[in-house]
Amino acid sequence: MEDYHKPDQQTVQALKNIANRLRINSIKATTAVGSGYPTSCCSAAEIMSVLFFHTMRYRAEDPKNPNNDRFILSKGHAAPALYSMWVENGFLKESELMSLCQVDSTLEGHPTPKQPFVDVATGSLGQGLGVACGMAYTGKYFDKSSYRVYCLMGDGEMSEGAVWEAMSFASYYQLENLVAIMDINRLGQSEPAPLQHHVEKYQKRCEAFGWHAIIVDGHSVEELCKALSQPRHQPIAIIAKTIKGKGIAVAEDKMGWHAKPLPKDMAETVMRDLQSRMLNSNKRLYPSTPTEDAPPVSLRNTRMPSGPSYKPGEKISTRKAYGMALAKLGRYNERVVALDGDTKNLTYSEIFKNEHPNRFVECYIAQQNMVSVAMGCATRERNIVFASTLASFFTRAYDQLRMAAISESNINLCGSHCGLSIGEDGPSQMGLEDMVMVRSIPNSTLFYPSDGVSTEKAVELAANTKGVCYVRTSAPETSIIYNSNEDFHVGQAKVVCQSKDDQVTVIGAGVTLHEALAAAEQLKKERIYICVIDPFTIKPLDAKTIIEHARSTRGRIITVEDHYYEGGLGEAVCSAVVNEQGFNLHRMAVSHVPRSGKHAELLKAYGIDRDAIAQAVRKMLSSSANAK
């Protein structure tokens, strides 16, 4: 085999000793805390040993070095095995491992980026390979660098559809710099995994997805060294047949030991036995150093050098304005990249693709994998990533978004065709739950622009804002209401209509802001004046501006949104004003599952159009008068 040099016996013995020290450390740490998954660590011991001390090229003293090979522990419950490797290479102290899961420890029960050697949080099974795909895609196509990406998976997560979305993505883009190692230890949480130890079935499935699949004895360091040295012309799957609980005689290949630390007396016996298996080896192994060929990257201060070019009164949909803004941003930083899920002609990310084809990634109809790939592309601050699809389709990737927040990932998402605006296509395509989804994610920012100018500003701000950013765009064309030199900030609302005689404060966003402005014109004819506010960001919400103007309208507030009642604009405003005395808030939203129809008909039918807003204002004023 080309480039394969069989390790000498001293190296083999040193790798075996490292594997057994991993077992000892994993047992010791989990027993000390009374929590964890020692049997899952033990099945992967030789895999981890060979990866970290024979195969991977990295600087142990500098885990975030952009030239390092990447490692993702998709089976995150084996976290002590990962921590043990960083004890072995000297980055962590063994005493630190004993702090596992303690409230003041950075070594959590599943990996999180509190440690610099963890790029993304794992533990929600089935997501690691998609992130690894994003890293490998970046390495091959953006960085054009020699670093490789290794992803260790469990057999239980092979039932997740997201795994096969990632498998398909990797083979389609010929990610020969990606290696997936599957720890086939047969046993799941409550019963055996579906294919148990039928490793040839895993092999056929991987091959059907375009991977080069190799079956090995997962406890043979010689076989692992050989398989991991294979020449690479396509993504490689190492299917490692292992024994769950290997080295723990009472638990080997037995049900009932998942997520169970060993009792102290049993742990001491097992650790003594493992220690006795470690033969003397004078050879000390060190990681190989990486090739220094990853280009320097700067993502700071990614700004548009000129303002939007729209004129007041001109009409454009915010989804098209998103595509135009993204393409414009891409001209000024070559690390701006765009992903889409085969909706680029709807989200208008095709404008970016046409202008920057080498920085556009088509993820096809696999939204969960698209979000995972976005996370992978964004790791180690290699890219400014935007991913777009219909707002309704992001809901199926909610768990990936949740894990992105735990991973402290900086990714930007655009959900288009929000609310009723998709019209004739009906409720399955209408994004009516996306605001509550994004608002519930920690450290997220929710932009809801209402015209082309504010959309371009939202894209620019998102590129410079940490955490998960979401830009909510609409299908219908709407008028430009802001001047191109208007200044926008995260958490700062705009008052778009006001007078000294305002009687009610109306808050709308997207299409409903334009309906509110139309209602204001209607009501003027009746000498009823309203203050209209565009929140711009729903999270964080500009409570100060809302409260200030609501006080001037005697506490009368109406919110109107193209979203279900639960968790959207109305509830955000409710939370902002909950402690204010004498406020009267009326919410207008979509009350039940809608139906197909023309956009204007649907706004009317579900009571969020200009006529409904005007009527709500009249009713609120009438109620106030009657109360007096």
Side-chain angles (χ1 to χ4, degrees):
M1 182 184 298
E2 63 183 74
D3 296 332
Y4 177 63
H5 300 286
K6 185 176 180 180
D8 59 51
Q9 280 309 112
Q10 279 195 319
T11 299
V12 168
Q13 188 57 52
L15 289 168
K16 289 179 178 178
N17 289 350
I18 290 170
N20 279 322
R21 277 198 295 275
L22 179 154
R23 291 187 171 99
I24 290 168
N25 282 333
S26 297
I27 291 166
K28 191 189 298 183
T30 53
T31 295
V33 74
S35 177
Y37 304 77
T39 57
S40 298
C41 297
C42 289
S43 67
E46 283 77 16
I47 296 169
M48 295 291 280
S49 172
V50 171
L51 277 173
F52 276 81
F53 290 93
H54 186 265
T55 303
M56 286 169 54
R57 302 161 300 171
Y58 65 102
R59 295 189 179 279
E61 75 284 1
D62 184 13
K64 279 283 191 279
N65 190 302
N67 300 290
N68 287 352
D69 284 345
R70 275 60 161 162
F71 176 76
I72 297 285
L73 182 66
S74 192
K75 52 172 282 180
H77 51 287
L82 175 64
Y83 304 151
S84 295
M85 287 298 92
W86 288 91
V87 168
E88 192 72 35
N89 66 28
F91 185 79
L92 293 176
K93 295 179 180 147
E94 192 171 333
S95 58
E96 290 180 82
L97 192 56
M98 294 305 104
S99 72
L100 178 72
C101 295
Q102 292 177 18
V103 72
D104 57 351
S105 174
T106 55
L107 301 179
E108 303 205 64
H110 290 72
T112 66
K114 287 184 173 65
Q115 281 293 342
F117 53 78
V118 176
D119 284 298
V120 293
T122 55
S124 186
L125 292 175
Q127 297 185 29
L129 188 60
V131 175
C133 282
M135 292 174 153
Y137 192 101
T138 293
K140 179 173 181 175
Y141 294 105
F142 300 146
D143 284 345
K144 297 179 173 59
S145 179
S146 60
Y147 64 79
R148 290 168 176 164
V149 183
Y150 298 87
C151 180
L152 177 57
M153 307 163 67
D155 48 1
E157 67 184 298
M158 300 300 288
S159 293
E160 282 283 1
V163 167
W164 301 98
E165 289 182 7
M167 295 283 281
S168 179
F169 180 95
S171 62
Y172 181 78
Y173 287 110
Q174 298 179 308
L175 301 180
E176 73 280 349
N177 56 347
L178 175 62
V179 180
I181 306 97
M182 298 163 188
D183 180 5
I184 310 299
N185 65 23
R186 192 179 79 84
L187 301 178
Q189 166 98 10
S190 61
E191 63 176 80
L195 299 184
Q196 300 204 33
H197 267 152
H198 295 291
V199 286
E200 71 286 348
K201 292 184 179 179
Y202 286 104
Q203 184 181 40
K204 287 177 181 175
R205 291 184 183 188
C206 292
E207 288 173 345
F209 275 78
W211 287 55
H212 178 43
I214 308 164
I215 295 171
V216 299
D217 174 354
H219 299 302
S220 166
V221 295
E222 296 97 326
E223 287 191 35
L224 286 163
C225 287
K226 186 175 181 180
L228 286 162
S229 300
Q230 287 268 9
R232 292 159 188 188
H233 308 294
Q234 63 195 110
I236 292 179
I238 308 292
I239 301 163
K241 185 177 181 180
T242 61
I243 302 298
K244 192 162 188 173
K246 179 73 172 176
I248 307 172
V250 70
E252 282 191 4
D253 199 34
K254 289 187 174 63
M255 286 300 305
W257 282 97
H258 187 81
K260 286 187 180 175
L262 275 58
K264 189 175 180 184
D265 54 347
M266 184 188 292
E268 288 173 355
T269 301
V270 170
M271 287 190 289
R272 279 196 301 270
D273 177 53
L274 288 167
Q275 190 70 46
S276 72
R277 301 182 196 183
M278 292 165 59
L279 305 180
N280 283 336
S281 172
N282 296 324
K283 192 162 191 177
R284 175 75 194 270
L285 300 182
Y286 299 92
S288 300
T289 55
T291 305
E292 305 276 334
D293 60 0
V297 169
S298 175
L299 307 183
R300 292 182 182 175
N301 200 30
T302 301
R303 302 290 177 187
M304 305 275 202
S306 60
S309 57
Y310 304 108
K311 296 183 176 68
E314 182 183 347
K315 286 198 164 188
I316 187 172
S317 64
T318 53
R319 62 180 171 128
K320 187 171 184 179
Y322 164 79
M324 294 174 70
L326 192 57
K328 181 178 176 181
L329 190 70
R331 290 172 214 151
Y332 305 111
N333 192 316
E334 62 181 12
R335 301 304 295 209
V336 173
V337 301
L339 287 63
D340 203 285
D342 193 24
T343 55
K344 57 187 173 289
N345 57 335
L346 301 176
T347 63
Y348 280 101
S349 66
E350 67 178 2
I351 300 173
F352 182 95
K353 181 188 177 184
N354 292 339
E355 195 168 323
H356 314 287
N358 294 332
R359 288 187 270 142
F360 180 86
V361 188
E362 179 55 75
C363 296
Y364 298 98
I365 304 171
Q367 292 87 1
Q368 293 181 10
N369 187 59
M370 179 178 73
V371 173
S372 293
V373 169
M375 290 170 62
C377 289
T379 56
R380 305 199 185 189
E381 298 189 334
R382 301 307 293 170
N383 301 294
I384 298 169
V385 186
F386 284 82
S388 52
T389 186
L390 271 61
S392 54
F393 300 159
F394 270 120
T395 57
R396 73 168 55 168
Y398 179 73
D399 192 24
Q400 280 75 8
L401 298 179
R402 185 181 71 89
M403 291 303 292
I406 297 170
S407 299
E408 301 170 17
S409 186
N410 300 319
I411 57 171
N412 307 296
L413 312 171
C414 175
S416 77
H417 294 72
C418 67
L420 303 172
S421 65
I422 203 164
E424 289 86 348
D425 277 359
S428 69
Q429 312 297 295
M430 295 173 177
L432 290 159
E433 314 87 355
D434 56 320
M435 284 205 281
V436 63
M437 175 181 73
V438 177
R439 284 184 65 229
S440 70
I441 295 169
N443 302 315
S444 62
T445 302
L446 171 50
F447 296 92
Y448 194 176
S450 299
D451 77 342
V453 172
S454 56
T455 302
E456 184 167 314
K457 297 291 188 177
V459 169
E460 182 180 25
L461 287 166
N464 293 280
T465 301
K466 298 291 186 185
V468 175
C469 290
Y470 182 81
V471 182
R472 191 174 201 243
T473 63
S474 306
E477 291 187 343
T478 48
S479 297
I480 299 296
I481 56 176
Y482 295 110
N483 292 320
S484 60
N485 59 355
E486 186 77 31
D487 201 19
F488 285 82
H489 299 279
V490 172
Q492 187 177 101
K494 296 289 181 183
V495 181
V496 292
C497 176
Q498 65 178 322
S499 74
K500 61 181 177 58
D501 299 316
D502 290 336
Q503 296 162 276
V504 178
T505 297
V506 178
I507 306 167
V511 295
T512 62
L513 180 72
H514 294 269
E515 294 299 314
L517 289 170
E521 290 302 313
Q522 283 184 22
L523 292 165
K524 268 185 197 175
K525 297 170 185 174
E526 305 168 34
R527 297 192 177 182
I528 297 172
Y529 299 94
I530 63 174
C531 170
V532 179
I533 293 178
D534 171 10
F536 182 57
T537 56
I538 310 301
K539 180 185 177 183
L541 189 72
D542 185 354
K544 181 174 179 289
T545 295
I546 289 169
I547 291 168
E548 178 186 318
H549 286 272
R551 282 176 180 158
S552 70
T553 58
R554 300 187 180 182
R556 304 185 194 105
I557 305 174
I558 293 173
T559 62
V560 54
E561 60 192 301
D562 198 359
H563 188 273
Y564 287 134
Y565 273 94
E566 292 77 14
L569 170 63
E571 289 197 351
V573 174
C574 280
S575 297
V577 304
V578 66
N579 294 320
E580 297 299 316
Q581 297 296 318
F583 274 37
N584 175 17
L585 194 152
H586 175 67
R587 295 183 296 135
M588 303 172 70
V590 180
S591 59
H592 54 275
V593 176
R595 52 172 297 141
S596 295
K598 294 191 184 303
H599 172 239
E601 294 172 337
L602 292 171
L603 292 181
K604 187 174 186 66
Y606 293 93
I608 56 173
D609 71 339
R610 61 197 66 188
D611 293 337
I613 295 168
Q615 186 55 33
V617 169
R618 295 185 196 103
K619 186 175 179 181
M620 181 172 275
L621 293 173
S622 173
S623 298
S624 296
N626 290 338
K628 288 179 184 176

